[in-house]
Amino acid sequence: WKVSDGTSIFWASLHDLGFLQRVTSSEEVFARDDILRVRLRDQQYRSGDGGFRVEHHIERVLEHRRALPPEQLPLTLDQLPLTLD
């Protein structure tokens, strides 16, 4: 899953089978920009070239908050500028 912690974007594997099952069965709807509070586990490995590699694992979804819908402007047709050519 592509996730953000508020400062960076990274890929994480999701291991919460209960959350996955609820999303798959449409019991819970998960959409773009939703916010998840999770228990995250990071594993850091030393690579062969001396660098480091980090793997991120979402162990459990603790809270799921739906993204706020975009605000709609309260316009009526008489407020729109119309031009006729």
Side-chain angles (χ1 to χ4, degrees):
W1 291 46
K2 189 175 179 181
V3 296
S4 170
D5 62 4
T7 58
S8 60
I9 297 172
F10 53 91
W11 291 94
S13 55
L14 182 61
H15 299 277
D16 187 338
L17 298 180
F19 178 75
L20 285 172
Q21 183 177 19
R22 289 189 305 275
V23 170
T24 302
S25 67
S26 299
E27 182 181 330
E28 187 159 355
V29 178
F30 182 76
R32 177 187 173 111
D33 296 329
D34 281 5
I35 297 171
L36 298 177
R37 191 168 64 90
V38 302
R39 183 180 317 133
L40 183 69
R41 178 174 53 90
D42 293 334
Q43 284 185 296
Q44 191 173 43
Y45 300 93
R46 183 176 292 267
S47 60
D49 63 0
F52 288 96
R53 184 182 88 200
V54 178
E55 291 181 359
H56 307 280
H57 307 276
I58 298 171
E59 298 293 327
R60 183 176 173 130
V61 175
L62 304 172
E63 180 183 3
H64 174 206
R65 285 187 275 161
R66 300 276 310 178
L68 296 176
E71 292 186 37
Q72 296 181 356
L73 296 176
L75 294 177
T76 59
L77 288 178
D78 60 330
Q79 293 173 308
L80 297 175
L82 296 175
T83 58
L84 299 174
D85 294 310

